[in-house]
Amino acid sequence: MDTHLQPASWDWIRAVVVSTFVILIITSSILMPLEKLLEPRRLDRLPPWSRWFLVLPTAFASGFVAEIVPRMFFAVLEIVVNHELMFRPGFDFLIWQLWAPLFFVAGGIQMAPRFKFSTFLVVGGVKIAVAATNFGRDLRFVHGGGPWTAMDPTTNSPLWWDAIVYTVCIGFLIALGWFLGRQALEKPHRQTVTAVP
């Protein structure tokens, strides 16, 4: 880990969260029209085998677009406003480890013609495993005597921020899995009830 330290600061967190919120509102004007490509009635025109074939490519494409578009806008905006990249590591990490994974999972699930919960177990499981593995690495570093204020050498964001983002990502994905699991359990029950004369 980097020897440079960044203690937790409400001003830094507020700047990252507010700038993320503003950038995501701005970039939604680009992402929303792209989402229309995955509308159910449009996808229903494709043969089911092709939709299964496209689950992972769609997930990767969705995650990539959701990562690149906000990061481009943020870089331009922060340079114009601050004339330097002060909060970029925090913003980049939030987009890379929370926003893009959510789009990755949503894109894969949307492309799947059926078995949305099973699809979630694959695409969501991958992202939960990545977040949990990285979070575990950070915990091992801190347990070994490293400070939470150390900077991650890959992202240049503080470990305490990484831990928050990993936890929120895992929480969101588990909540989505729970919702999809409940839907999957209720669907056969509804079909059984309506099938009874």
Side-chain angles (χ1 to χ4, degrees):
M1 298 286 169
D2 192 355
T3 56
H4 179 70
L5 304 177
Q6 179 165 338
S9 158
W10 285 114
D11 290 337
W12 189 88
I13 293 171
R14 185 175 59 243
V16 170
V17 171
V18 168
S19 61
T20 300
F21 182 73
V22 169
I23 293 298
L24 293 181
I25 287 175
I26 293 169
T27 59
S28 66
S29 62
I30 293 170
L31 296 175
M32 293 299 277
L34 291 175
E35 182 197 343
K36 293 186 184 213
L37 296 172
L38 297 177
E39 285 182 339
R41 61 191 165 120
R42 187 175 296 215
L43 293 177
D44 287 342
R45 296 180 198 155
L46 296 172
W49 67 266
S50 68
R51 288 182 66 179
W52 284 119
F53 180 75
L54 292 171
V55 166
L56 285 178
T58 302
F60 280 108
S62 298
F64 180 75
V65 170
E67 180 181 341
I68 295 303
V69 172
R71 288 173 75 180
M72 285 185 342
F73 274 94
F74 181 81
V76 170
L77 183 66
E78 190 169 29
I79 289 172
V80 168
V81 172
N82 292 332
H83 306 294
E84 60 182 323
L85 298 174
M86 294 172 53
F87 306 109
R88 182 162 187 167
F91 173 84
D92 278 351
F93 193 81
L94 186 64
I95 296 299
W96 183 37
Q97 293 296 330
L98 176 61
W99 185 250
L102 294 177
F103 270 77
F104 176 92
V105 172
I109 291 170
Q110 190 68 21
M111 181 55 74
R114 300 185 317 246
F115 308 117
K116 303 290 186 181
F117 180 66
S118 298
T119 305
F120 167 80
L121 291 177
V122 175
V123 293
V126 166
K127 289 303 180 180
I128 289 172
V130 168
T133 300
N134 290 334
F135 186 50
R137 181 203 64 201
D138 291 348
L139 288 177
R140 281 190 303 279
F141 172 76
V142 171
H143 183 67
W148 277 110
T149 56
M151 306 299 274
D152 186 307
T154 306
T155 62
N156 205 28
S157 63
L159 291 185
W160 57 265
W161 178 248
D162 295 3
I164 292 169
V165 173
Y166 289 137
T167 304
V168 171
C169 179
I170 292 168
F172 273 140
L173 291 176
I174 288 172
L176 176 60
W178 180 79
F179 174 76
L180 292 170
R182 285 199 54 188
Q183 276 190 329
L185 290 174
E186 290 173 2
K187 195 172 188 178
H189 178 69
R190 282 194 306 255
Q191 290 172 347
T192 306
V193 170
T194 54
V196 174

